Amino acid sequence: MKKSILTLAFLLFVSSIQAQTSTLNGFLKSNWGSSKAAVINNNLAKGYTYYEGEGLDGNLLVATEADFAGVSDCMIIWKLTSDDKLFQGIVVITPELSAKAMKEYDDMREKIAGKYGKGKTYESYDYPYDEGDGHWETAFELGKGHLNTYWIFDDGNALSMTLTEDLSVRVRYQATELTQQEINKQEAVNNDEL
C-alpha cells in the first residue's frame, strides 16, 4: 500500500514537471527587451493588422482580429518601455456570447496549463452572489465576481489570466524586472509633477 502511494506521488510529480517550464522568456516569438521593430519582424508570418488610430500610446503595438492559441478575433497588445523594450504582452479574448465566457476562460486555462503547468486559480464572489448560484454573469458584470489564475516562473516573470467585468478573458505575459523598471520611471515622472 505504502509503495503504491509513493509510486503514485512520484508519477504525479514527474508529470507536473514535464508540463512546466521554469522561465518565461518573452511573448509571441519576441524575447523580453525586444524593440517594436523586432516584434513586428518576429510576427511577419502571422499577417497581423496593427491598429494605428488616435489615442494609441506610442509604446503600444496592437493587433486586432488576431488568432491566439486556436481562438480567432482576439486583440493582442505588446507593451514597450519608454526606451523601446518589450516588457508585457496581453491577449484579450471576447467570446461571441457572454454566456460562454466562463467556458472560454476554462478552455484557455487548460491550454496554458498544458504548456506551463496548472497555475494557481482564485475564484470568489461578493455578497449577494456565491459560487455556483447560477448568477456568475451578473456577478462579473457588476464587479462582484473575481476569477484569476497565476503562473510564476523561476526567473521571476509571470503569466496571469483574468475574467473581466465585460466578460472577456485577459491573458497577460509579463517580464517582472522590466515592468518594475517602467513603474519606477513613471513614479519618478509623477513625483516631478508634485
Side-chain angles (χ1 to χ4, degrees):
M1 175 77 170
K2 196 175 192 181
K3 184 177 179 181
S4 63
I5 292 173
L6 287 173
T7 302
L8 179 62
F10 177 74
L11 290 173
L12 289 172
F13 176 74
V14 169
S15 68
S16 69
I17 288 175
Q18 291 173 339
Q20 296 178 350
T21 61
S22 60
T23 60
L24 185 64
N25 298 327
F27 176 65
L28 291 178
K29 299 185 180 187
S30 297
N31 291 331
W32 301 127
S34 296
S35 68
K36 185 185 279 189
V39 168
I40 292 170
N41 189 51
N42 292 340
N43 289 287
L44 278 176
K46 294 275 191 174
Y48 291 135
T49 301
Y50 296 103
Y51 176 76
E52 297 180 4
E54 264 184 62
L56 186 64
D57 182 342
N59 297 333
L60 293 177
L61 182 62
V62 178
T64 57
E65 300 176 11
D67 294 340
F68 177 78
V71 179
S72 58
D73 286 333
C74 300
M75 179 172 28
I76 301 176
I77 304 165
W78 293 263
K79 288 187 165 187
L80 298 109
T81 63
S82 54
D83 55 344
D84 197 32
K85 293 180 182 174
L86 177 65
F87 73 93
Q88 199 172 90
I90 300 169
V91 178
V92 180
I93 302 165
T94 305
E96 289 182 22
L97 297 172
S98 61
K100 294 188 176 192
M102 189 70 76
K103 179 165 180 8
E104 193 77 50
Y105 184 96
D106 290 339
D107 290 349
M108 186 54 64
R109 179 176 53 197
E110 287 303 312
K111 288 177 185 179
I112 292 171
K115 182 172 183 177
Y116 297 115
K118 187 175 178 182
K120 302 265 187 215
T121 298
Y122 303 93
E123 184 173 2
S124 65
Y125 294 85
D126 300 334
Y127 179 82
Y129 301 98
D130 289 308
E131 186 173 346
D133 67 4
H135 299 288
W136 67 268
E137 277 182 82
T138 304
F140 277 89
E141 289 171 343
L142 295 174
K144 294 182 178 261
H146 314 281
L147 178 58
N148 300 286
T149 305
Y150 300 95
W151 292 262
I152 307 297
F153 298 86
D154 291 344
D155 59 7
N157 296 329
L159 171 56
S160 63
M161 282 183 59
T162 302
L163 185 60
T164 66
E165 289 179 15
D166 65 354
L167 298 176
S168 64
V169 177
R170 186 166 299 214
V171 183
R172 182 184 312 264
Y173 294 72
Q174 181 170 288
T176 303
E177 186 176 321
L178 285 170
T179 300
Q180 188 59 52
Q181 289 173 12
E182 196 62 15
I183 289 169
N184 293 343
K185 286 179 199 172
Q186 187 58 49
E187 286 176 353
V189 168
N190 292 345
N191 284 336
D192 285 345
E193 294 174 356
L194 296 177

